[in-house]
Amino acid sequence: MKRFFSLLIVVCAVALSAQNTKYVNLFMGTSGDNGQLAPGATVPFGVVCVCPDSDPRTHAGYNYEVTKVTGISINRLSGVGCSGGGGNIRIRPLAPNEELHIDKQTEVAVPGYYATSFTNGIQTELTATNLMAVERYVYPEKLPAALWIDFSSSFEAKATYEYRQVSPTCLEGYIQAKTVCSHGQYKLYFSMNTNNPFTLKEKEGELPCLDFGQSTKEVEVRIGLSALGVNEARQEYARWEKKSFNQLKKDSHKEWEEQLASIDVKGGTDDDRVIFYTSLYRACLSPVDVTSVDGRYLGTDGKIYSADGFRYYSNWSLWDTYRTKFPLLVLLEPGKMRDMATSLLHLYRTGKRNWATPHESTATVRTEHAVILLLDAYRKGITHLDFNIGYEGMKDEMEKLLLGSPDQKMESACDLWAMAQISNIIGKKEDAKAFQEKSARVFEETWKKEFMNVDASYEVMKNNGLYQGTRWQYRWAAPQFMDEMIAWVGKEKLCEQLTYFFEHHLYNQGNEPDIHVPYIFNRLGAPEKTQQIVRSLMTEEMIHKYGGNAEFKTPYFGKAFKNHPEGYSPEMDEDDGTMSAWYVFGALGFYPMVVGDEHYELTSPLFDKITLRLENGNKLNIQVQGRMQKNMPIRSVSFNGREVKDFRISHNDLIKGGKLVFHY
């Protein structure tokens, strides 16, 4: 533990002109199966995330507890399933037959920069632009400078590749690899450039080696990338050719400083601030901007298109992130969110699938529930969306919704609910009526049969074909239909059942289907329970009975969020910003319980004073008054001097700016 906290001091000291970035702990959640994260060098919403890959590795490649590494690769996804995604163009500064180990005492990571020494004396520094990995290697006197390149490296199966030497300092080619869970594939063209000439040594059955000779002691590698072609990858490298490593590092760090400057907090503990800003950082890693310098992108039909008036984004994992991360981006980054939503509409136009396609730009995962995300953006003021671009694709998706297991039916009912509203927005009245009726019918049939009458089977993981959850957890999975649940069971009875759910530790913070459930108490007339449970989940030890796929043999007792390499409870994947955004919303004091609705549920903020600098130029000031103890219930809430009724507030009111005050 002492080593870890001294490391944080080093990290803070390295950060240049650090403001909110000084609170980001990139090692949080990087140990084992406690988040599945990596401390790689990247920029906000950047394609490149360059980082060492541990041996053995985790989903994101890196494991804090493992010193042995296979090399340094240029890309990865944050906290996703299967075998992860990325891990391409892995470079080793040491021969493959020799072990390479990180010297943990020298390891440093701050937003936009990673550095370490290896136990053989080689020093490594990493930084990045959106589409270029920058790697610096410094060799001790006893070692000749050489780099071994594994072009086939990939976290999901082996990549295929081609490369050729085009100059004494440049290799160019492409790699083609499987996306997460191998449902699709992506192709990245590269232009790999070094600051010193090398001799390319190739031998069958061995990794190609770039030999820089005995006299060279410092090697810098820059790898420009593009999904469109080698020329475009070469252009990415050329854009930054005149900037030094240190300048690129400063630029990357500055981007993160500007990204995290949207929110300032006062109060709370040091750990609260570190977890908050680390969570905000991780909510801004994806999707990624894959638009070329001249404004083009690769469609999922394999054709190249012009992005007319928007930036095209890829790298989706919507099955989880639509719940929290994208609503957070709607609030903090409406400009980027408009481009992301437009990208999804074009994705529908060019051949969207639930999972990845054969023509991706990145190691993307899943795009289910995009209709809910699109409706959420529209309802919260991002109205410059042309739903007609993707409407036929959206309709086709509704016809193919899965209606097998009870969880699929619940999720499909929510998709149909959102699609009905989108149809109505663009004047498709008959479609709207049909989708609404089907949504209501699927929900009623499923909920009354599977989730209405509680029995002992509700505590069993995957009962009756459920995916990664129990009937208790999926019971609340469609908050769009709270009025129906109340009508069928009664508000008082539902509140009693929900209280039982939490008192008997049946909630699972480690997986997404029920992470909105603490806020349901607001709608059942018990807002004090929402406040107590959310704060407890964020800051206190808890009993956790369930992992991602099964009940633990011995329940986990501890915090779900920690400022530590074991940053999350066991098996709690961070899921590409989903859990991070959940924490950010809870800390701010409001939460999008029904994604696709403009309202937030209010709860007790973690900090005493919070300032949001909104993209429209307004400021939202959140304050607490009279809170003497952290678990005091809220007496009332006011916004710009007027009382907020029912612990619920509209997004479209909040973005006008002003003061949101919680009175205790």
Side-chain angles (χ1 to χ4, degrees), residues 454 458-459 469-477 493-509 511-521 524 529 533 537 542-546:
V454 178
Y458 275 49
E459 298 187 19
T470 67
R471 293 169 87 174
W472 263 120
Q473 291 154 16
Y474 277 106
R475 187 177 201 238
W476 321 99
K493 184 65 174 178
L494 274 179
C495 192
E496 290 176 4
Q497 292 172 337
L498 193 59
T499 300
Y500 179 93
F501 176 69
F502 281 100
E503 287 182 347
H504 288 77
H505 317 294
L506 303 174
Y507 170 78
N508 187 0
Q509 182 64 52
N511 208 8
E512 282 72 23
D514 62 348
I515 57 175
H516 63 282
V517 175
Y519 295 90
I520 291 178
F521 279 116
L524 299 178
K529 291 190 176 183
I533 290 169
L537 290 170
M542 61 182 290
I543 295 174
H544 220 143
K545 295 176 66 173
Y546 299 98

Side-chain angles (χ1 to χ4, degrees), residues 128-189:
T129 70
N130 178 35
L131 281 161
M132 185 174 72
V134 187
E135 309 175 25
R136 177 189 282 176
Y137 300 92
V138 179
Y139 292 78
E141 284 298 322
K142 62 181 180 180
L143 286 179
L147 299 173
W148 285 261
I149 318 295
D150 186 356
F151 290 109
S152 69
S153 66
S154 176
F155 294 159
E156 190 76 19
K158 287 280 189 181
T160 58
Y161 61 90
E162 287 185 8
Y163 69 90
R164 65 188 182 94
Q165 186 170 2
V166 297
S167 79
T169 59
C170 181
L171 294 177
E172 292 183 340
Y174 71 83
I175 63 97
Q176 189 162 335
K178 295 287 187 180
T179 58
V180 177
C181 300
S182 292
H183 282 270
Q185 61 183 6
Y186 60 101
K187 191 173 187 178
L188 286 175
Y189 296 89

Side-chain angles (χ1 to χ4, degrees), residues 279-428:
S279 298
L280 183 58
Y281 168 95
R282 289 199 167 123
C284 300
L285 292 175
S286 73
V288 300
D289 184 347
V290 296
T291 323
S292 67
V293 175
D294 58 355
R296 295 178 298 138
Y297 68 91
L298 179 70
T300 51
D301 55 3
K303 299 177 183 178
I304 296 175
Y305 294 89
S306 292
D308 186 13
F310 72 103
R311 304 291 296 177
Y312 187 79
Y313 284 80
S314 181
N315 232 42
W316 308 101
S317 51
L318 297 189
W319 186 83
D320 296 321
T321 52
Y322 86 94
R323 306 169 191 269
T324 58
K325 182 171 79 170
F326 285 97
L328 183 63
L329 296 179
V330 169
L331 175 68
L332 300 179
E333 291 282 357
K336 286 188 175 69
M337 190 62 217
R338 183 259 179 187
D339 287 352
M340 294 172 189
T342 301
S343 299
L344 284 171
L345 291 170
H346 283 274
L347 188 64
Y348 275 110
R349 180 172 64 91
T350 63
K352 176 184 173 298
R353 300 181 183 178
N354 281 344
W355 291 73
T357 73
H359 303 287
E360 300 289 352
S361 302
T362 61
T364 187
V365 193
R366 304 170 70 164
T367 57
E368 299 104 316
H369 314 308
V371 291
I372 303 177
L373 180 160
L374 291 167
L375 177 64
D376 192 67
Y378 185 89
R379 290 289 184 221
K380 294 173 179 172
I382 303 176
T383 55
H384 299 295
L385 297 175
D386 186 355
F387 287 123
N388 289 297
I389 292 172
Y391 188 73
E392 290 305 316
M394 296 160 75
K395 280 188 66 175
D396 182 63
E397 184 173 80
M398 294 303 103
E399 295 299 322
K400 298 176 181 176
L401 289 174
L402 299 176
L403 295 168
S405 60
D407 55 296
Q408 290 174 348
K409 293 176 182 177
M410 293 283 277
E411 292 171 0
S412 294
C414 295
D415 287 333
L416 290 161
W417 168 86
M419 189 64 191
Q421 296 184 62
I422 289 174
S423 298
N424 195 52
I425 288 167
I426 62 174
K428 306 283 189 179

Side-chain angles (χ1 to χ4, degrees), residues 57 66 112 125 155 159 195 276 309 349 367 391 394 441 482 503 510 529 540 546 560 575 592 644:
R57 66 173 182 85
V66 175
E125 294 181 276
F155 294 159
N195 63 334
F276 178 81
R349 180 172 64 91
T367 57
Y391 188 73
M394 296 160 75
R441 183 177 69 254
M482 279 306 305
E503 287 182 347
K529 291 190 176 183
E540 299 174 6
Y546 299 98
D575 279 309
V644 178

Side-chain angles (χ1 to χ4, degrees), residues 519-589:
Y519 295 90
I520 291 178
F521 279 116
N522 272 15
R523 305 275 52 83
L524 299 178
E528 70 284 353
K529 291 190 176 183
T530 288
Q531 297 157 31
Q532 187 275 323
I533 290 169
V534 172
R535 177 174 282 274
S536 177
L537 290 170
M538 293 174 66
T539 64
E540 299 174 6
E541 293 179 323
M542 61 182 290
I543 295 174
H544 220 143
K545 295 176 66 173
Y546 299 98
N549 292 285
E551 188 171 349
F552 290 131
K553 292 181 179 179
T554 301
Y556 165 75
F557 179 73
K559 292 184 177 182
F561 300 89
K562 294 177 290 184
N563 175 23
H564 191 276
E566 294 179 3
Y568 302 86
S569 58
E571 296 187 22
M572 180 176 159
D573 288 357
E574 197 270 346
D575 279 309
D576 196 20
T578 302
M579 293 303 186
S580 290
W582 185 95
Y583 187 95
V584 170
F585 272 123
L588 293 177

